[in-house]
Amino acid sequence: MRLLQLKLKQRMILILGVMALIQTGFIGLFALHYLERSLDEQIGQRALDVAKTIAAMPQVIESVEQRDSHYLQPLSLALADTTRARFVVIGDSNGIRLAHPKVEKIGHSMADDDGDTGYPALIEGHGYISKAVGSLGWSMRGKAPVISADGSISGLISVGYGLDRVTEIINRYRVTLILVILCSFILSAAIAVWFAYHFKKAIFGLEPEQIAHLFDEQRATLESVREGIIAIDSTGEITTINQTAIETLGLPKNCELIGRRVEEVLPDSSMLEVLQTGEPQFDSEVWRGDHCIIANRLPLKQGEQITGVVSSFRRKDELDMVSQQLTRIQQYADTLRSQAHEYSNKLHTIAGLIQIGATDQALQLIGQESQSHQALIKLLMKAAPDPVLAGCLLGKYNRAREMGLALVIDPESEMTNLPDKLPREQLVSIIGNLIDNALEATLNHQGSDGKVHLSMTDLGNDLIFEIEDQGAGIPPEQQDRIFEKGFSSKNRDGHGYGLHLVKNLLDKLHGTITIESGPSEGSRFTVYIPKNKN
């Protein structure tokens, strides 16, 4: 718990330092153990070679057969001095000493010191190496049998080398190992400081706990948004995907998608194209099954290097619903605003007439206004009994009057047979946008007192609406482009979207729209919406 309270730099110094101590200590102990075993083996092999050499000397063989200790004792001392051995012990076939550095040991069993009876050499007839402590201390011993001329084993030669030199070498390497461990710890601490500095710089100075907290926040945020989100790395593997994306794309919910190639999950995805080009893609329409998705794709960059791509998307019908709701609210607001403005002017006029005593004129104006609206309402109730469509037309009528124009509705119009399945929001969005464009075109070209004509009929298999303005008209070369997103004959921002929305809504309703030049000037837009979609 205390370790978690330390800063990242302190933790890295401590962890790397401890790791260096453990690793260096383990390697050092292994090296010392290996060195000790190697030295023991080398010394033991040397002792065995010397023992075999002495056992093969004819004088030694003869003296052992005769058990001549007077000859063998000084010879063993001389051989020990010559070979720099700690001792050379010679025994007979029963393991009784015939020569030993300590004279009092002669005549006694060689097993008195360490219990080694020399069985492999005396019985089996081959030399061997052993490490034991005897009357002369710890030593590596090599023992070889003395073979007589007839092939029988007549004695045993034991040559021992002390391990003092081995201990001295081990101690020297142990000091060296301690110095290496200290240097390794200091170097690890320096590396930890350097690495922690650059690592914290790369993670914007955050602590691991802060990163974990941000990760939890990001995950919660991704799952809370209503848009689908997918992110891939520079290799095209999926690194992030939220639940909304899985549901929107119809992907299996129980399948692990993180780490899989994006083309395996979404074969028609353009994220790899963005990864290669680095060019973002906005508002791209993608069909997934039977519904359309609006997607935005942005490259992720670290400096100039593209490190991945993130894509956010949403079903188009949801966006259309929001757009339609906003359009409807805007239409209602425009209607209320235009009506409030118009009636405010009328009330001011009536108030002025009353103040100057012209009550007859005031009553006449009230009657005209009431008669005009009554006629319009009566016409709309007959021609368009649907309240949503009638409300839209009433609002546009008042909007036209506010602009100084007139929206003339053909009294022969009839739109009483609207299909129940026809979305009213889409219908009024189409008609409202076309009337707004017609009013603006008429005002710009004709000025006040201009007129916009509307006729509609539901006879036959289609709903037909005709909107005719008194504008400047649309050149033939622009008629093919007038429905493109952002295209407008007006050099002002905020235009070029109404007709594009109209075309998209008509495509969804399987409808069509045509453009014709008016009899003298202006344009006529004719909308055909089938009553029954196939």
Side-chain angles (χ1 to χ4, degrees):
M1 189 66 181
R2 293 181 179 178
L3 180 62
L4 297 178
Q5 296 176 354
L6 299 177
K7 297 294 184 181
L8 178 62
K9 183 181 295 186
Q10 297 171 339
R11 273 185 274 179
M12 295 186 72
I13 294 174
L14 181 60
I15 292 174
L16 289 180
V18 171
M19 288 181 61
L21 287 174
I22 295 175
Q23 292 177 352
T24 310
F26 177 78
I27 294 173
L29 292 176
F30 175 78
L32 290 176
H33 177 71
Y34 183 79
L35 177 63
E36 184 178 7
R37 287 190 59 184
S38 297
L39 291 175
D40 287 347
E41 290 178 359
Q42 292 179 11
I43 295 174
Q45 187 62 44
R46 180 179 180 182
L48 180 60
D49 291 340
V50 172
K52 288 181 177 181
T53 302
I54 295 174
M57 295 174 60
Q59 300 89 338
V60 172
I61 296 173
E62 182 179 353
S63 298
V64 168
E65 290 177 347
Q66 296 175 3
R67 291 177 172 79
D68 187 357
S69 295
H70 297 288
Y71 174 78
L72 294 175
Q73 176 65 16
L75 178 62
S76 67
L77 296 175
L79 290 174
D81 183 64
T82 302
T83 59
R84 297 183 179 180
R86 173 170 290 184
F87 61 82
V88 174
V89 178
I90 303 174
D92 61 11
S93 59
N94 295 317
I96 303 302
R97 297 187 187 94
L98 299 178
H100 192 276
K102 295 181 178 181
V103 179
E104 65 272 14
K105 295 288 186 177
I106 298 175
H108 297 281
S109 174
M110 298 176 68
D112 290 347
D113 292 335
D114 55 10
D116 187 358
T117 60
Y119 175 82
L122 291 175
I123 305 301
E124 298 180 359
H126 58 77
Y128 66 96
I129 299 172
S130 67
K131 181 179 181 181
V133 58
S135 59
L136 299 178
W138 278 99
S139 61
M140 288 298 298
R141 304 173 180 184
K143 297 187 178 184
V146 178
I147 308 298
S148 301
D150 58 1
S152 61
I153 299 174
S154 58
L156 175 67
I157 305 296
S158 177
V159 178
Y161 283 89
L163 298 179
D164 299 339
R165 180 62 177 168
V166 174
T167 303
E168 180 183 347
I169 294 174
I170 296 299
N171 289 335
R172 186 172 71 245
Y173 276 99
R174 186 176 289 112
V175 173
T176 303
L177 176 62
I178 294 174
L179 294 176
V180 171
I181 290 176
L182 292 177
C183 293
S184 178
F185 178 78
I186 296 174
L187 179 62
S188 299
I191 294 175
V193 172
W194 174 84
F195 182 74
Y197 171 77
H198 289 276
F199 184 74
K200 291 203 68 174
K201 184 178 179 181
I203 60 176
F204 305 102
L206 298 174
E207 294 293 325
E209 292 77 14
Q210 294 174 311
I211 297 175
H213 180 68
L214 290 175
F215 176 77
D216 291 337
E217 284 186 353
Q218 181 196 44
R219 182 170 55 185
T221 302
L222 288 176
E223 295 301 334
S224 65
V225 297
R226 295 185 61 185
E227 286 196 351
I229 297 176
I230 296 180
I232 62 174
D233 58 16
S234 57
T235 63
E237 293 184 356
I238 297 175
T239 57
T240 302
I241 183 169
N242 64 352
Q243 189 64 31
T244 305
I246 295 175
E247 294 174 356
T248 302
L249 298 174
L251 300 175
K253 296 182 179 181
N254 298 327
C255 181
E256 180 61 38
L257 300 176
I258 303 297
R260 294 182 59 184
R261 301 279 300 179
V262 67
E263 62 267 26
E264 297 177 6
V265 180
L266 301 172
D268 54 349
S269 174
S270 298
M271 296 181 71
L272 292 179
E273 178 182 343
V274 177
L275 186 63
Q276 293 175 355
T277 63
E279 296 294 331
Q281 298 177 357
F282 299 102
D283 298 332
S284 300
E285 294 188 2
V286 179
W287 283 94
R288 182 75 179 178
D290 58 350
H291 57 267
C292 184
I293 294 174
I294 304 298
N296 296 295
R297 307 177 185 94
L298 292 173
L300 301 176
K301 294 185 177 181
Q302 189 172 6
E304 296 297 325
Q305 183 180 3
I306 300 176
T307 58
V309 177
V310 61
S311 174
S312 62
F313 49 89
R314 197 167 185 175
R315 289 182 58 167
K316 186 179 179 182
D317 51 4
E318 295 181 6
L319 297 175
D320 288 344
M321 184 179 298
V322 175
S323 176
Q324 292 159 13
Q325 291 173 350
L326 291 176
T327 301
R328 188 173 182 179
I329 292 172
Q330 184 179 4
Q331 290 173 349
Y332 291 158
D334 291 342
T335 300
L336 293 174
R337 180 174 56 83
S338 61
Q339 286 182 345
H341 182 72
E342 181 182 1
Y343 282 111
S344 177
N345 291 334
K346 296 294 176 61
L347 288 174
H348 289 160
T349 303
I350 293 171
L353 290 173
I354 293 174
Q355 289 176 0
I356 64 176
T359 55
D360 292 338
Q361 288 82 354
L363 292 173
Q364 183 180 2
L365 180 60
I366 293 172
Q368 289 176 353
E369 184 64 26
S370 176
Q371 183 179 3
S372 174
H373 273 79
Q374 288 296 328
L376 175 63
I377 292 174
K378 184 177 180 180
L379 172 61
L380 290 177
M381 290 179 63
K382 176 185 175 183
D386 185 88
V388 177
L389 178 58
C392 174
L393 296 179
L394 181 59
K396 298 305 176 184
Y397 177 85
N398 292 324
R399 171 67 173 162
R401 294 188 62 177
E402 181 186 356
M403 297 171 67
L405 304 174
L407 175 60
V408 180
I409 301 176
D410 188 349
E412 300 297 328
S413 295
E414 184 175 356
M415 190 59 62
T416 60
N417 190 23
L418 289 179
D420 294 335
K421 295 182 179 180
L422 177 64
R424 299 303 190 265
E425 292 82 3
Q426 297 181 12
L427 177 62
V428 297
S429 181
I430 294 171
I431 303 305
N433 274 288
L434 290 176
I435 293 177
D436 285 340
N437 281 352
L439 291 174
E440 188 173 355
T442 301
L443 181 65
N444 291 336
H445 182 68
Q446 193 74 16
S448 300
D449 300 328
K451 296 181 180 180
V452 173
H453 293 269
L454 169 65
S455 64
M456 48 190 175
T457 179
D458 58 3
L459 297 177
N461 297 324
D462 296 326
L463 306 176
I464 303 174
F465 297 85
E466 287 188 0
I467 297 96
E468 184 177 338
D469 61 50
Q470 293 180 344
I474 301 175
E477 63 273 11
Q478 292 186 1
Q479 292 185 6
D480 293 335
R481 302 184 56 199
I482 198 70
F483 297 106
E484 294 179 5
K485 184 177 181 180
F487 178 82
S488 175
S489 59
K490 312 173 187 68
N491 296 322
R492 298 198 302 271
D493 294 336
H495 291 80
Y497 296 95
L499 291 179
H500 175 71
L501 177 61
V502 169
K503 186 65 169 62
N504 286 342
L505 292 175
L506 285 174
D507 289 342
K508 183 176 293 187
L509 298 174
H510 301 280
T512 58
I513 185 171
T514 62
I515 306 174
E516 301 176 16
S517 298
S520 58
E521 57 184 351
S523 303
R524 181 189 295 117
F525 289 80
T526 305
V527 174
Y528 301 89
I529 301 176
K531 295 180 180 178
N532 298 314
K533 294 187 293 182
N534 294 328

